Amino acid sequence: MRHMVLFLVSLVLTAPAWAQGDDANMRHPEIMAVEGDGTESRYVIGDAAWGNVLVTLAALRGVDPEQAPAIAQQLWERRDTNQPIFLFEYARLIVDTDPDRALQAYFLARARSIYDASRCVDPTALGVVAAASEQAGPVVHQLMSSDPARLEAALASVIASDEIFTSQASPWWACSYGNAAYLAAVNSADMPGEEWLKVEGVWPSLRAAISNNMNANLARLREGLQAAQQ
């Protein structure tokens, strides 16, 4: 069973090696149709796209619940090579046993998801942030609003960790959520890097904006806590 867990965790979590340039970042999106409750949902797959990520999540959640701790451990150990969405799954798995760490994982996942989506040429890819965040589940989201002090500590810990921008995963998982990738898949068209990934020269400004936003949120949390104590 241990080997099965490792296999599932590494199933399609890594995209091909990527770097700035059309050849390295060429993507070949396809459409996967899923039937359920009398409706059909369609997702982009290919090169560890959004649809592939959802398939892997479903596989992980189909494993014996007794394997949850082992899966959680693997997801954390591979947090820099897996797509950020799997940190939301990690948060969901550990929230009952380690709520503080679950919140830290949530904030790290959200910041990394925003960064990945911000690097997409297609602005509709930003919708992936909300869709990915939902994977953390209702318990984590309830925790977000139940204890401001715990929230402040978790956000401060993530900011201090310097891990927000250390992910090595391609942003393609996020960009493939957008309309441009979907249309390309429908039309059986490849997507060169320049069509889905912003040039690397703008990435520092995106990182700065995300860092500034997180620090501003932390400051607001602390102001609220101070006001509540007066």
Side-chain angles (χ1 to χ4, degrees), residues 36-182:
D37 298 325
T39 62
E40 181 184 83
S41 299
R42 309 182 84 195
Y43 303 97
V44 174
I45 60 172
D47 304 311
W50 172 248
N52 299 107
V53 164
L54 295 182
V55 168
T56 303
L57 275 175
L60 291 174
R61 293 178 180 180
V63 172
D64 189 327
E66 293 183 358
Q67 297 300 313
I71 291 174
Q73 179 182 350
Q74 288 293 316
L75 291 177
W76 181 251
E77 290 175 352
R78 302 185 184 201
R79 64 190 180 279
D80 283 346
T81 52
N82 290 348
Q83 294 86 352
I85 189 174
F86 291 98
L87 279 169
F88 289 120
E89 175 65 5
Y90 172 77
R92 187 187 73 84
L93 289 172
I94 69 166
V95 64
D96 291 331
T97 57
D98 196 343
D100 293 320
R101 194 171 179 84
L103 280 181
Q104 293 169 17
Y106 180 91
F107 280 126
L108 181 59
R110 191 165 176 89
R112 288 183 172 186
S113 296
I114 292 172
Y115 180 49
D116 282 355
S118 296
R119 285 184 284 172
C120 303
V121 172
D122 179 6
T124 67
L126 284 167
V128 79
V129 178
S133 299
E134 286 300 313
Q135 303 303 318
V139 177
V140 173
H141 287 100
Q142 290 167 9
L143 189 62
M144 295 282 292
S145 59
S146 65
D147 191 340
R150 172 173 274 169
L151 204 66
E152 183 272 334
L155 181 55
S157 177
V158 170
I159 292 173
S161 72
D162 291 327
E163 287 196 32
I164 296 172
F165 306 112
T166 59
S167 173
Q168 302 163 30
S170 167
W172 171 244
W173 77 277
C175 301
S176 60
Y177 183 90
N179 292 340
Y182 182 83

